[in-house]
Amino acid sequence: MYPFVALDGWLDDPQEKAAAIQADKDFAAGCAQLSGKVLPFVDTASAAKDMDLMRAALGDDKLTYLGFSYGTYLGEHYAHLFPTHIRALVLDAVLDPSLSADDLNISQAASFEANLKAFLADCVAHKVLAPKCAFAASGDPTSKLNALMQRLDTTPISVGNRLLTRALAQTAVAQELYDQSTWPDLDLGLTQSVAGQGGTLLAFADSYLTLNPTGTYDNEIEPKHATHRLAHPALTHVPPYPTPSPPHPTRPVRAPARCAPAPLTQPGSDSR
């Protein structure tokens, strides 16, 4: 899994494009080979029906539900299918069920962009004020962040027997932007990485990607792609981008193509 998640998402040369396409094909083929019988049943409608069976098995007349991110999409489906079975429904960071995979990634990138700008502005404001932001101590943090990402594209940072690639650094930054309380940790990770020490950022990425101490990953990544593939159909052909802008520090652009080669049939529709 590490080679897959470490691959650069900004396909700015033919080699990277070929490697990404092959990795996505291999990922989809592996899912089909190991879980082909299950894949058609990981759609959101099926999950909502399973939730109602769990509610009934527990003896609850009504469901009390809290959903974040994709969990809001699941909650929406449950409410649509079982409107009379709900006691309370709380949805935080709601996903728009009408968005395609591409539009969903663009929408998420816009949210990360807003959080990133807020972090960088706060970092500048605390260049001298306590608590100090070390990443702003020796230059503009925005320029330093862009330069770091560009450098990681060609020269990843060695961390033991692994590498902090640009893709993993993007994942790390995104992980720490979810909560303002983790901004000091992001400051530390970026400051160290600019100095050639990528262990902290790699640890953030590992946390997001659920890497275990044994060196194996939880199986969160695979079903996440399969479920989102059914909920938000991915492009089977990614058109050329017009005039590429610099790669975003938090989100790779490759994500919409993942799992696109896998043809799946849905017993329950994720569209309404």
Side-chain angles (χ1 to χ4, degrees):
M1 183 57 66
Y2 170 75
F4 179 77
V5 297
L7 272 178
D8 194 17
W10 184 259
L11 312 180
D12 49 9
D13 63 57
Q15 292 76 22
E16 286 186 346
K17 181 178 180 180
I21 291 174
Q22 189 58 52
D24 286 347
K25 287 182 177 179
D26 292 343
F27 183 92
C31 286
Q33 179 182 1
L34 297 175
S35 305
K37 294 181 180 180
V38 181
L39 283 178
F41 301 96
V42 296
D43 61 293
T44 309
S46 294
K49 294 173 184 177
D50 290 342
M51 279 175 51
D52 196 60
L53 291 175
M54 293 171 63
R55 175 202 58 77
L58 291 170
D60 292 343
D61 292 331
K62 303 280 186 178
L63 177 74
T64 301
Y65 180 83
L66 170 63
F68 297 94
S69 190
Y70 170 76
T72 67
Y73 191 71
L74 178 57
E76 290 169 352
H77 268 74
Y78 187 89
H80 175 68
L81 293 172
F82 307 104
T84 62
H85 294 186
I86 297 170
R87 188 195 74 82
L89 196 69
V90 178
L91 307 179
D92 189 356
V94 178
L95 297 186
D96 184 343
S98 67
L99 294 180
S100 67
D102 201 31
D103 289 338
L104 182 64
N105 275 277
I106 292 172
S107 174
Q108 189 177 37
S111 297
F112 276 119
E113 175 77 13
N115 285 5
L116 178 62
K117 288 181 177 179
F119 162 74
L120 293 171
D122 183 77
C123 189
V124 171
H126 287 86
K127 180 177 180 178
V128 293
L129 297 177
K132 291 186 178 180
C133 182
F135 195 54
S138 60
D140 174 53
T142 300
S143 299
K144 289 172 64 178
L145 178 58
N146 287 328
L148 173 63
M149 292 298 172
Q150 292 287 2
R151 188 169 80 248
L152 289 174
D153 182 34
T154 56
T155 312
I157 298 174
S158 295
V159 181
N161 61 352
R162 302 168 63 206
L163 295 173
L164 175 67
T165 64
R166 179 164 65 180
L168 290 172
Q170 288 173 319
T171 299
V173 173
Q175 158 81 355
E176 298 305 292
L177 288 176
Y178 276 100
D179 190 332
Q180 190 170 345
S181 67
T182 63
W183 286 4
D185 299 327
L186 179 57
D187 172 31
L188 175 65
L190 291 173
T191 301
Q192 291 178 342
S193 294
V194 168
Q197 302 170 19
T200 299
L201 281 191
L202 188 59
F204 295 158
D206 288 345
S207 174
Y208 183 85
L209 298 168
T210 63
L211 179 68
N212 298 310
T214 58
T216 61
Y217 290 87
D218 286 352
N219 71 338
E220 180 178 333
I221 298 174
E222 296 93 332
K224 181 185 294 185
H225 281 297
T227 300
H228 280 274
R229 167 69 171 87
L230 289 170
H232 303 276
L235 300 173
T236 55
H237 170 70
V238 180
Y241 286 84
T243 303
S245 57
H248 193 273
T250 61
R251 301 303 296 170
V253 296
R254 172 172 152 247
R258 288 179 179 172
C259 290
L264 303 179
T265 57
Q266 305 177 58
S269 175
D270 270 354
S271 61
R272 289 179 287 184

